[in-house]
Amino acid sequence: MRAVIVAIGVAFLISLFCTPIAIKVFTRLKAGQPIRAEGPAMHQGKKGTPTMGGVVFILATVIAYVAGHLALTTLPDAQIAQVEPTITALVLLGLMVFSGAVGFIDDFLKVRKRHSGGLNKRGKLAGQILVGAIFGVVALYFPSSMTDVRGNATNTETVGSTMLSFIRDIPALEIGKIGAVIVIILVVMAATNGVNLTDGLDGLATGASVMVLAAYALIAFWQYRHWCADPNYTEAYCYTVRDPLEIALIAGAAAGACVGFLWWNTSPARIFMGDTGALGLGGLIAGMAMSTRTILLLPIIGGLFVIITMSVVIQIISFRTTGKRVFRMSPLQHHFELAGWSEVNIVVRFWIIAGIGVAIALGLFYSEFLAAVS
């Protein structure tokens, strides 16, 4: 627990104090956010606000991960199995960094062209597929080599699973390694686009991501305390995952980094996360669902992202089939803007929706544990 707390604190402080530096740097580089002409009129006042702020909390998460590992060296020998960097960390941080890199290219092109159209849809989609495929393969083809003090293998799990999962793996839904890689790609695409579509109002995506990442930190730490690979854990009920403490550490670090960034990103935002941050967070959230074996629970934990994404899908289908729009504008947050809601009201109410989804998901996760142990 100490390592997770250290990671959260370090990430928060780095993000909190380095974001103002990023604001000055990006302002000097004239890396301002272009605003769509067809967007809500009130957004035109945000034109020129520095973007690509996601760089700050992505770097803060990586640095905090290293700091958390330094804290691990003070743990008792029985708990020190995860001191060395693992494939789990490579996959999770890799998904965050390289998904963020795809978003960075998009942001860079927007800034360079002085236009809201950056990387084209095919280019962005190709980048998401490539990142998901690379780290999906790593997650499925590199099992753990963790051993106990006698040299016996105690955990030969891979980061991902060849089974679909809800609270844990579902044996009846075995899909094989190739099928699992395809699922990982789809989850990465869904999560990155979901967070990206949610990132339309000051602090909205950042605050929702904090809740989702905090939930995954709790889930992963609970799995660590009831971990099948722990030689000191003797109960019959345990979780078959790989490196749950690593997952909790990274999720906590990312949540802490987002809280520090939110200080400057809340209304009126002094900096935007841009596609750099949105795609980076989406990639990490997808990795969290995969590594904790809770892929089918993700739509509940990230309920707000699902609702906003579905509003776009419904709008497109309706307009193409009937020529009529269901919403004044999509994504959904812009519909309420045009309905007269203030930006702060929309953000806070959508945060409440995000919190409800997280609470339901955690309730389902814990109720499954209670049902099993009883």
Side-chain angles (χ1 to χ4, degrees):
M1 186 65 175
R2 178 168 44 200
V4 177
I5 293 174
V6 167
I8 293 171
V10 170
F12 170 74
L13 292 174
I14 291 175
S15 190
L16 180 66
F17 291 109
C18 289
T19 300
I21 298 174
I23 293 172
K24 293 179 180 178
V25 171
F26 289 137
T27 300
R28 189 172 301 168
L29 294 174
K30 298 181 179 180
Q33 175 69 47
I35 304 297
R36 291 187 304 164
E38 64 272 19
M42 60 282 291
H43 284 204
Q44 296 304 314
K46 300 181 180 183
K47 186 176 181 179
T49 302
T51 187
M52 295 188 280
V55 170
V56 178
F57 58 71
I58 290 174
L59 289 176
T61 301
V62 174
I63 295 171
Y65 167 75
V66 175
H69 268 271
L70 292 177
L72 277 175
T73 60
T74 62
L75 292 175
D77 290 342
Q79 295 179 318
I80 208 166
Q82 292 178 314
V83 171
E84 297 297 327
T86 64
I87 293 293
T88 301
L90 172 66
V91 170
L92 294 179
L93 294 176
L95 282 169
M96 187 181 199
V97 171
F98 286 95
S99 294
V102 175
F104 182 85
I105 295 171
D106 187 37
D107 287 332
F108 177 79
L109 292 175
K110 289 177 182 177
V111 170
R112 185 177 181 181
K113 296 176 181 178
R114 305 297 181 193
H115 189 271
S116 59
L119 189 64
N120 61 47
K121 293 180 181 179
R122 289 184 179 180
K124 189 180 293 186
L125 185 64
Q128 293 167 343
I129 292 174
L130 181 62
V131 171
I134 290 173
F135 290 101
V137 169
V138 174
L140 267 299
Y141 287 86
F142 291 87
S144 173
S145 58
M146 187 181 294
T147 58
D148 60 22
V149 292
R150 298 176 182 175
N152 300 316
T154 60
N155 185 18
T156 57
E157 292 294 321
T158 53
V159 180
S161 172
T162 57
M163 292 175 273
L164 292 181
S165 56
F166 183 57
I167 304 298
R168 58 178 65 245
D169 285 337
I170 305 173
L173 297 180
E174 172 73 42
I175 56 177
K177 289 187 176 181
I178 295 177
V181 171
I182 293 173
V183 168
I184 291 169
I185 292 172
L186 294 175
V187 173
V188 169
M189 291 169 59
T192 51
N193 286 304
V195 178
N196 197 22
L197 290 171
T198 303
D199 182 33
L201 301 181
D202 296 350
L204 177 57
T206 309
S209 296
V210 168
M211 298 182 206
V212 171
L213 290 167
Y216 276 119
L218 290 172
I219 287 172
F221 192 76
W222 185 263
Q223 290 176 332
Y224 172 65
R225 299 298 295 176
H226 304 83
W227 190 25
C228 296
D230 185 351
N232 295 322
Y233 189 73
T234 58
E235 301 296 329
Y237 185 89
C238 61
Y239 294 94
T240 304
V241 294
R242 173 172 176 170
D243 309 321
L245 187 57
E246 290 275 272
I247 304 169
L249 194 154
I250 293 170
C258 285
V259 172
F261 181 76
L262 184 60
W263 182 274
W264 306 101
N265 182 235
T266 192
S267 183
R270 292 186 56 189
I271 188 170
F272 299 141
M273 69 166 67
D275 280 19
T276 305
L279 269 61
L281 287 174
L284 178 60
I285 289 170
M288 289 291 158
M290 171 187 62
S291 58
T292 57
R293 312 292 171 88
T294 56
I295 283 179
L296 297 180
L297 190 65
L298 176 58
I300 302 175
I301 294 181
L304 178 64
F305 303 140
V306 173
I307 291 170
I308 289 177
T309 301
M310 289 307 301
S311 73
V312 176
V313 174
I314 291 170
Q315 186 85 322
I316 292 173
I317 293 174
S318 176
F319 188 74
R320 289 184 177 178
T321 56
T322 68
K324 297 181 180 179
R325 292 180 172 86
V326 177
F327 307 103
R328 289 180 171 91
M329 181 178 289
S330 65
L332 188 60
Q333 60 269 30
H334 299 319
H335 166 83
F336 289 106
E337 276 191 293
L338 296 181
W341 291 23
S342 71
E343 183 172 7
V344 172
N345 277 342
I346 297 170
V347 169
V348 172
R349 288 167 181 171
F350 276 37
W351 280 353
I352 292 172
I353 294 172
I356 291 172
V358 166
I360 292 172
L362 290 176
L364 290 171
F365 181 84
Y366 187 59
S367 64
E368 191 267 350
F369 174 81
L370 292 179
V373 297
S374 63

